[in-house]
Amino acid sequence: MLKEKELNIIESKIKNKIPLDIDEISGYLNIKEKIIKNIFVMYEAFGRKSVESITLSDEEIDHIIKLKYPDVIAYKKH
């Protein structure tokens, strides 16, 4: 659980479109760091189309990616 000061810093970064680190994303969304790391390994190696999750929806994955890469456009499956 994040302390109020840490949460304020993260929310300020999000508002200003400053990329978050994996540990910040993990703490902010309360998702295990391992899952966040796996998302970025797949995303960075193969692109958004390759990122799938049993536990997270496409919208949640897009949200996680935007926290580290604020200027990325959300992926739309067809």
Side-chain angles (χ1 to χ4, degrees), residues 17-74:
K17 294 190 173 188
I18 297 171
L20 300 181
D21 295 326
I22 288 174
D23 61 324
E24 291 173 319
I25 296 169
S26 175
Y28 180 67
L29 298 177
N30 198 24
I31 297 174
K32 290 184 180 182
E33 224 174 280
K34 182 178 179 179
I35 293 172
I36 303 297
K37 284 180 185 177
N38 287 341
I39 288 171
F40 286 112
V41 165
M42 293 298 292
Y43 176 74
E44 291 165 358
F46 305 107
R48 174 60 183 94
K49 284 176 107 174
S50 68
V51 181
E52 297 284 330
S53 175
I54 295 171
T55 56
L56 300 171
S57 69
D58 286 333
E59 292 81 15
E60 290 169 318
I61 292 170
D62 287 341
H63 181 65
I64 290 168
I65 292 170
K66 284 186 88 53
L67 290 173
K68 185 169 180 180
Y69 300 106
D71 296 325
V72 170
I73 298 170

